[in-house]
Amino acid sequence: MQRELHAPNEKNLYDCFSYRWGECLYQIGGVDKSIEQFETILKRNPVAEHRIKSYVWLIKLYSIKQNWARLNEIKERIINDKEIQNIYIHGISTDKLEILLTPNKMKEYIAQIGNRLARGEAWAVIDELRDMIKLHTLMEGHGDPVLLTKIAEADIRVRDYELALKTLYSVMRLDRKPKNQAQTLAHIGRAYMEQGNYKEAIKAFQKSFNLGDYIVMLVLQAAAFHKLKEYNTSIDLY
């Protein structure tokens, strides 16, 4: 007996692959046409998994166009689209999506992470931040400098200094603002101090001081010179 074959649902088939069409348009330089394609996809109200793919692309495209008003509208739509708050896309949970897209909630979240680190919950924080960084990368195309800095702080606490330093140097490349680079260099200096690499710590603290003029960097340098038994230099800095 021959099995009856059914044609796939036209809408589901379109929704499943149409974002690839928009991606192709972007790859050949058609940013505006790509935006039009993804906006059209959303008008068809596809299932949550396919909606979020279009949202992700629109965030990227409106960032390229520097259309911040439209970008914020897309983020607001994502926050209000409750169906996509608890799904998986490429193995990444979206359960903290609203935190990432809401500045005040993000600020509160970072403060909570800091408190948890102070309580000695470094391993749990690392696991959670890995997922948050993956989600941010999915949405924005790169890791968030603040989240990356926090996971580096956690890595220092569990003595994974090489990984912490690798992360912090990636933050330096992501965020070029002098004030923020000064803060990142301070973390780099502390990682080297914990590692016992006092000469590199001194360099990092000096660079941080040059960028941010934070007096505490000189104090930290003095501590590093003390570790190297260069007491005269240490005294001069104190």
Side-chain angles (χ1 to χ4, degrees), residues 34-192:
S34 182
I35 288 173
E36 184 180 345
Q37 171 66 12
F38 288 117
E39 292 282 15
T40 300
I41 293 169
L42 291 174
K43 288 177 183 177
R44 291 171 63 90
N45 193 31
V47 296
E49 181 185 353
H50 300 146
R51 284 204 305 279
I52 195 169
K53 291 175 182 177
S54 294
Y55 283 137
V56 167
W57 267 100
L58 285 171
I59 285 175
K60 177 178 181 177
L61 294 167
Y62 282 124
S63 294
I64 291 171
K65 297 286 289 185
Q66 297 187 357
N67 188 339
W68 310 124
R70 190 71 184 117
L71 176 63
N72 288 331
E73 287 176 11
I74 293 296
K75 289 183 177 182
E76 190 67 26
R77 285 172 66 182
I78 294 171
I79 291 170
N80 292 328
D81 192 341
K82 299 304 179 184
E83 285 187 8
I84 67 171
Q85 301 296 328
N86 290 289
I87 64 171
Y88 282 82
I89 177 170
H90 305 310
I92 303 169
S93 172
T94 62
D95 63 333
K96 289 186 171 62
L97 192 55
E98 187 173 354
I99 293 173
L100 284 180
L101 297 177
T102 311
N104 287 340
K105 291 186 178 183
M106 185 66 163
K107 186 176 180 179
E108 291 173 4
Y109 178 77
I110 293 300
Q112 291 169 7
I113 289 294
N115 292 336
R116 290 174 63 189
L117 285 174
R119 294 197 300 266
E121 299 177 21
W123 284 113
V125 164
I126 288 170
D127 287 340
E128 184 173 319
L129 285 179
R130 279 198 190 113
D131 291 339
M132 285 289 281
I133 290 166
K134 287 178 183 177
L135 183 59
H136 189 278
T137 302
L138 173 69
M139 298 303 296
E140 304 282 357
H142 58 79
D144 176 71
V146 177
L147 292 175
L148 288 168
T149 300
K150 285 299 177 185
I151 201 170
E153 288 181 41
D155 285 329
I156 292 170
R157 288 174 181 267
V158 300
R159 300 182 181 181
D160 195 341
Y161 306 119
E162 290 300 326
L163 182 56
L165 287 165
K166 181 180 178 181
T167 301
L168 289 167
Y169 279 116
S170 74
V171 173
M172 291 287 289
R173 292 190 293 272
L174 278 172
D175 191 342
R176 299 287 186 176
K177 294 178 182 177
K179 181 180 178 180
N180 295 341
Q181 290 218 325
Q183 294 173 349
T184 304
L185 283 162
H187 288 298
I188 289 171
R190 290 188 177 101
Y192 280 128

